[in-house]
Amino acid sequence: MDSLLGRISFIALAMAAASSALAADAPKSIRIGYAISLSGVNAQGAATTTLPGYDLWVKDVNDKGGIMVKEFGKRIPVEVVAKYDDTSNAETLLRLEEKLMTQDKVDFVLPPWSTGFNLAVAPIFAKYGYPQLAVTANANDEEQLVKQFPTLFFFLNQPMHFGAALISVLDTLKSAGKINDKVVLLSVGDQFGAEFAAGFGAGLKGSGYDIVLQKSYPLGAADLTNEIKEAKSSGADTFIAGSYPPDTFMLAGTAITQGYNPKVYYTAVGTAFAEFGGAFKGKADGVFGIGGWDPNLPGAQDYYKRQVALTGHAPDGWASPVTYASLQILVQAIEKAGTLDRKKVLDAIANDGPWDTISGPIDLKTHIREKQWGVGQWQNGQFVGVSPSDMAGAQPVMFPKPAW
Amino acid sequence: MVGEDKPFPTRAALAIGSLVTLVVLLAALPWLLSDYGLSFMVSVMSYLVLTVAWALFSGPTRLVSLATSAFFGVGMYTVAMLIKLMPLYATFAVALGVGALLAGVVGVLTLRIAGMFFVIFGFGLSEMIRQLMVWWEINKTHTMGRYVFVPFDATLIYEHLLGLAVIVFFVGWQLRRARLGLALMVIGEDETVARQVGVNVPFAKVAIFVVSAMFMTMTGALMAPRYGFINPNFAFNPLVSFQVVIMAFLGGLQRLWGPALGVIPLIILSELLQTEFPFWFSVLLGIVFMVIVYFLPRGVTGLIEDGWKALGRPLELQRGLTGPLVDAWGWMSRPIILPRGIAGAIEDVWVKIAPQTKGRR
């Protein structure tokens, strides 16, 4: 009896001690760190697409009291303990990531901006076992890369998929006899423009289109009037430009002043920016662009409003919501794994999907987000996804583009 | 005999001994430092080689070269392009050859260019190669970016860079005692005089340019596995050229070890700014550069030399608080001079130019 009582009381004491130890062990915050381009050539892109999402996410999570971590039995707030500037220099970025992981010992590292930088740091994330939710990155060899770096996840389509999505839009219109087979293909004289024109031009020819005008213009061109005039006199119904934000805006402005109204008008990067809709008001309606999102998904509109309220900047209709969605996945994976152990969280991210996000359900079993928007269109003041047309929430194409 | 000669060999032995100890200590660092500390040292060591190599050429000839990133990039990109075709060390050898060849051609082409034009040429060279590689990748290979994933980790990179640093110091030290070094000094002072006294100016300039470029190329090649993912924009980063010039100026060019003194403070400063004041990096770095140019024209070496001299000088009486007061009073009591405006500035410039033009005739 005596010994039994003693044993029971001992066990009770031990349990009490263990539970108090458990509570004491809970960290006061989940330590988050990131290195991103706050200065240099990449700073604008990082500031537009990525940083507002990081800020909003931290606020949203902490407004709820933090992330529920089962092993500590309570919600733990997130805290950005380190925020570094890679100065748009790859070597600096590598060093700062190593500092975050080995010196600052943060729990999770948010990814840098741009394809090149995400690929550059992939070996470091893999070496130290940090999940890398690389949103602003895409490459044609994604499948091989995720095998090489088991910590890497891709959220954007491979470049070749964007062309395929656009050609399927054109095919539907052409087979209905709504557009002729003539196409104007402009591109900015940079790596993106050249890759776009090469891949997309081949795809168009393969599908029986006639490229009546193919031209590239220099990055930072100050005037594109000649290009628009040539396009106007080419007799093509379809205008496609593999453009970057500055020229995306300039092409639209020039087309308006020149009264150029092709039935299909497509520009690439920057079309999805909220500023594009803001700059051209109702005139933007009918314009196609790269990317797309579904504003009717649960939480999407609310996210839009919260983002504007916090940063004063509207998110774009392509990678901004995906950035936020990737962080929603991180939260859910931590809660599912019930721990801050990165290996277990990593397994959860890959295997316990699909995850609910403002960009719809996302499954990362292959480490690559499979189904996503390739082409969007401005409709009634919003940039919505139209292709691939079998995506849930795909809007019917607005055709022809109303005159400017 | 032996007894008389004793002080000299002992001094030399002491110097060699301490240098060897320093190198051994540096070589042991990877096993003493954290991963982050090591990657910091890789950065220091790579800039050390670049800056000392830069000073090999630009120090004596006084030609400011912005071609550093061109050679660094050529080394790095050659490795990136060949890594799938041959072993790593073979790519290093090819890179070295390509860098030397390029430096030879560029050296001959720029023989007659001096001053401002040489600066622009170096910058243009790096940009031109970068654009050329972008064009090549887009039109010929249809990809941007190459992977150099090889088992050549930070420790190995660091040890190789350390070896390269030892070699570049040795070459610089030998150069200062060799005829070529003397010839370069004379060229830097006055090229016409150099020709008059029989210096083979074209050979001397091209030779040292090639040697300096080979060290830069090798640094780029060694750093390729560190980057892992390489595209022309990463490899040919003009910032590298500028940073090397600023580090060399900060350190001071008058001594072989001068540039080294500029590398460490600038890397520590950059690191501090990037991590502690991320939003102010560019602004603060700009201010620091201006301070260097205005207040440290002879670099850290100049400070040390001045300090050494000051120690040997007899003490002057301090003027204390009264000093500035006396100065201020003197300034206040001076009559106000009417500003002379743009016309005044033109006059000043004219006065400076006029006697020179007369002198040349």
Short mmCIF file of all heavy atoms in Angstrom, two decimals, chain B residues 276-297:
data_model
loop_
_atom_site.label_atom_id
_atom_site.label_comp_id
_atom_site.label_asym_id
_atom_site.label_seq_id
_atom_site.Cartn_x
_atom_site.Cartn_y
_atom_site.Cartn_z
N GLU B 276 21.91 45.15 -39.94
CA GLU B 276 21.40 46.00 -38.86
C GLU B 276 20.54 47.15 -39.38
O GLU B 276 19.62 47.59 -38.73
CB GLU B 276 22.55 46.56 -38.02
CG GLU B 276 23.43 45.49 -37.39
CD GLU B 276 22.65 44.54 -36.50
OE1 GLU B 276 21.76 45.01 -35.76
OE2 GLU B 276 22.90 43.32 -36.56
N PHE B 277 20.91 47.70 -40.54
CA PHE B 277 20.16 48.83 -41.09
C PHE B 277 19.75 48.53 -42.52
O PHE B 277 20.15 49.24 -43.44
CB PHE B 277 21.01 50.10 -41.05
CG PHE B 277 21.64 50.38 -39.73
CD1 PHE B 277 22.95 50.03 -39.48
CD2 PHE B 277 20.90 50.99 -38.73
CE1 PHE B 277 23.53 50.28 -38.25
CE2 PHE B 277 21.47 51.25 -37.51
CZ PHE B 277 22.79 50.89 -37.25
N PRO B 278 18.97 47.44 -42.72
CA PRO B 278 18.75 46.98 -44.09
C PRO B 278 18.18 48.05 -45.02
O PRO B 278 18.53 48.08 -46.18
CB PRO B 278 17.79 45.81 -43.92
CG PRO B 278 17.26 45.92 -42.55
CD PRO B 278 18.29 46.61 -41.74
N PHE B 279 17.35 48.94 -44.48
CA PHE B 279 16.72 49.90 -45.39
C PHE B 279 17.67 51.03 -45.75
O PHE B 279 17.42 51.79 -46.67
CB PHE B 279 15.45 50.48 -44.77
CG PHE B 279 14.32 49.51 -44.80
CD1 PHE B 279 13.94 48.82 -43.66
CD2 PHE B 279 13.65 49.25 -45.97
CE1 PHE B 279 12.91 47.91 -43.70
CE2 PHE B 279 12.62 48.33 -46.03
CZ PHE B 279 12.25 47.66 -44.87
N TRP B 280 18.75 51.16 -44.99
CA TRP B 280 19.65 52.32 -45.18
C TRP B 280 20.95 51.92 -45.82
O TRP B 280 21.87 52.72 -45.90
CB TRP B 280 19.90 53.00 -43.82
CG TRP B 280 18.64 53.54 -43.26
CD1 TRP B 280 17.82 52.95 -42.35
CD2 TRP B 280 18.01 54.76 -43.62
NE1 TRP B 280 16.73 53.73 -42.12
CE2 TRP B 280 16.83 54.85 -42.88
CE3 TRP B 280 18.35 55.80 -44.50
CZ2 TRP B 280 15.96 55.94 -43.00
CZ3 TRP B 280 17.49 56.87 -44.60
CH2 TRP B 280 16.31 56.93 -43.86
N PHE B 281 21.05 50.68 -46.28
CA PHE B 281 22.31 50.18 -46.80
C PHE B 281 22.94 51.13 -47.82
O PHE B 281 24.06 51.60 -47.65
CB PHE B 281 22.12 48.79 -47.40
CG PHE B 281 23.33 48.28 -48.11
CD1 PHE B 281 24.43 47.85 -47.40
CD2 PHE B 281 23.39 48.25 -49.50
CE1 PHE B 281 25.56 47.39 -48.05
CE2 PHE B 281 24.51 47.80 -50.15
CZ PHE B 281 25.60 47.37 -49.43
N SER B 282 22.20 51.46 -48.88
CA SER B 282 22.78 52.24 -49.96
C SER B 282 23.18 53.63 -49.49
O SER B 282 24.24 54.14 -49.83
CB SER B 282 21.79 52.37 -51.11
OG SER B 282 21.20 51.14 -51.38
N VAL B 283 22.31 54.25 -48.71
CA VAL B 283 22.55 55.62 -48.26
C VAL B 283 23.81 55.67 -47.41
O VAL B 283 24.73 56.48 -47.65
CB VAL B 283 21.34 56.13 -47.44
CG1 VAL B 283 21.62 57.54 -46.94
CG2 VAL B 283 20.09 56.10 -48.29
N LEU B 284 23.88 54.79 -46.39
CA LEU B 284 25.02 54.82 -45.48
C LEU B 284 26.32 54.47 -46.20
O LEU B 284 27.35 55.09 -45.97
CB LEU B 284 24.78 53.87 -44.31
CG LEU B 284 23.67 54.31 -43.37
CD1 LEU B 284 23.44 53.28 -42.29
CD2 LEU B 284 24.02 55.65 -42.73
N LEU B 285 26.25 53.49 -47.10
CA LEU B 285 27.44 53.10 -47.83
C LEU B 285 27.95 54.30 -48.66
O LEU B 285 29.14 54.58 -48.70
CB LEU B 285 27.15 51.91 -48.75
CG LEU B 285 28.35 51.04 -49.10
CD1 LEU B 285 28.96 50.42 -47.86
CD2 LEU B 285 27.95 49.97 -50.09
N GLY B 286 27.03 55.02 -49.28
CA GLY B 286 27.40 56.19 -50.07
C GLY B 286 28.09 57.23 -49.21
O GLY B 286 29.14 57.78 -49.59
N ILE B 287 27.55 57.47 -48.02
CA ILE B 287 28.15 58.47 -47.12
C ILE B 287 29.56 58.03 -46.73
O ILE B 287 30.50 58.82 -46.75
CB ILE B 287 27.27 58.65 -45.87
CG1 ILE B 287 25.95 59.31 -46.27
CG2 ILE B 287 28.00 59.49 -44.82
CD1 ILE B 287 24.93 59.40 -45.17
N VAL B 288 29.69 56.73 -46.41
CA VAL B 288 31.01 56.22 -46.02
C VAL B 288 32.02 56.43 -47.15
O VAL B 288 33.16 56.85 -46.92
CB VAL B 288 30.91 54.73 -45.64
CG1 VAL B 288 32.30 54.13 -45.49
CG2 VAL B 288 30.13 54.57 -44.36
N PHE B 289 31.61 56.18 -48.38
CA PHE B 289 32.53 56.36 -49.51
C PHE B 289 32.98 57.81 -49.61
O PHE B 289 34.14 58.11 -49.86
CB PHE B 289 31.87 55.92 -50.82
CG PHE B 289 31.63 54.45 -50.88
CD1 PHE B 289 30.78 53.90 -51.81
CD2 PHE B 289 32.28 53.60 -49.99
CE1 PHE B 289 30.56 52.54 -51.86
CE2 PHE B 289 32.07 52.24 -50.02
CZ PHE B 289 31.20 51.71 -50.97
N MET B 290 32.03 58.73 -49.42
CA MET B 290 32.40 60.14 -49.52
C MET B 290 33.39 60.51 -48.43
O MET B 290 34.36 61.23 -48.66
CB MET B 290 31.15 61.00 -49.42
CG MET B 290 30.36 61.00 -50.71
SD MET B 290 29.17 62.31 -50.76
CE MET B 290 27.81 61.55 -49.95
N VAL B 291 33.16 59.99 -47.24
CA VAL B 291 34.08 60.26 -46.13
C VAL B 291 35.48 59.76 -46.48
O VAL B 291 36.48 60.47 -46.28
CB VAL B 291 33.57 59.59 -44.83
CG1 VAL B 291 34.66 59.62 -43.75
CG2 VAL B 291 32.32 60.28 -44.33
N ILE B 292 35.53 58.57 -47.07
CA ILE B 292 36.85 58.02 -47.43
C ILE B 292 37.56 58.95 -48.40
O ILE B 292 38.72 59.33 -48.21
CB ILE B 292 36.69 56.62 -48.07
CG1 ILE B 292 36.20 55.62 -47.04
CG2 ILE B 292 38.01 56.16 -48.66
CD1 ILE B 292 35.80 54.29 -47.64
N VAL B 293 36.83 59.35 -49.45
CA VAL B 293 37.46 60.14 -50.50
C VAL B 293 37.91 61.50 -49.95
O VAL B 293 39.00 61.99 -50.26
CB VAL B 293 36.48 60.33 -51.68
CG1 VAL B 293 37.06 61.30 -52.68
CG2 VAL B 293 36.22 58.98 -52.33
N TYR B 294 37.08 62.10 -49.07
CA TYR B 294 37.41 63.43 -48.58
C TYR B 294 38.49 63.41 -47.51
O TYR B 294 39.40 64.24 -47.50
CB TYR B 294 36.16 64.10 -48.00
CG TYR B 294 35.37 64.82 -49.05
CD1 TYR B 294 34.14 64.31 -49.48
CD2 TYR B 294 35.84 65.98 -49.65
CE1 TYR B 294 33.40 64.95 -50.45
CE2 TYR B 294 35.12 66.62 -50.63
CZ TYR B 294 33.90 66.10 -51.03
OH TYR B 294 33.19 66.72 -52.01
N PHE B 295 38.38 62.49 -46.57
CA PHE B 295 39.22 62.57 -45.37
C PHE B 295 40.35 61.55 -45.34
O PHE B 295 41.28 61.68 -44.57
CB PHE B 295 38.37 62.42 -44.11
CG PHE B 295 37.35 63.50 -43.99
CD1 PHE B 295 36.01 63.26 -44.21
CD2 PHE B 295 37.75 64.81 -43.67
CE1 PHE B 295 35.08 64.27 -44.11
CE2 PHE B 295 36.82 65.82 -43.58
CZ PHE B 295 35.49 65.56 -43.80
N LEU B 296 40.25 60.52 -46.17
CA LEU B 296 41.30 59.50 -46.14
C LEU B 296 41.89 59.28 -47.53
O LEU B 296 41.90 58.16 -48.03
CB LEU B 296 40.74 58.16 -45.63
CG LEU B 296 40.52 57.99 -44.14
CD1 LEU B 296 39.94 56.61 -43.88
CD2 LEU B 296 41.81 58.16 -43.37
N PRO B 297 42.36 60.34 -48.19
CA PRO B 297 42.80 60.14 -49.57
C PRO B 297 43.93 59.13 -49.68
O PRO B 297 44.13 58.51 -50.70
CB PRO B 297 43.25 61.53 -50.01
CG PRO B 297 43.44 62.31 -48.77
CD PRO B 297 42.53 61.72 -47.75
#
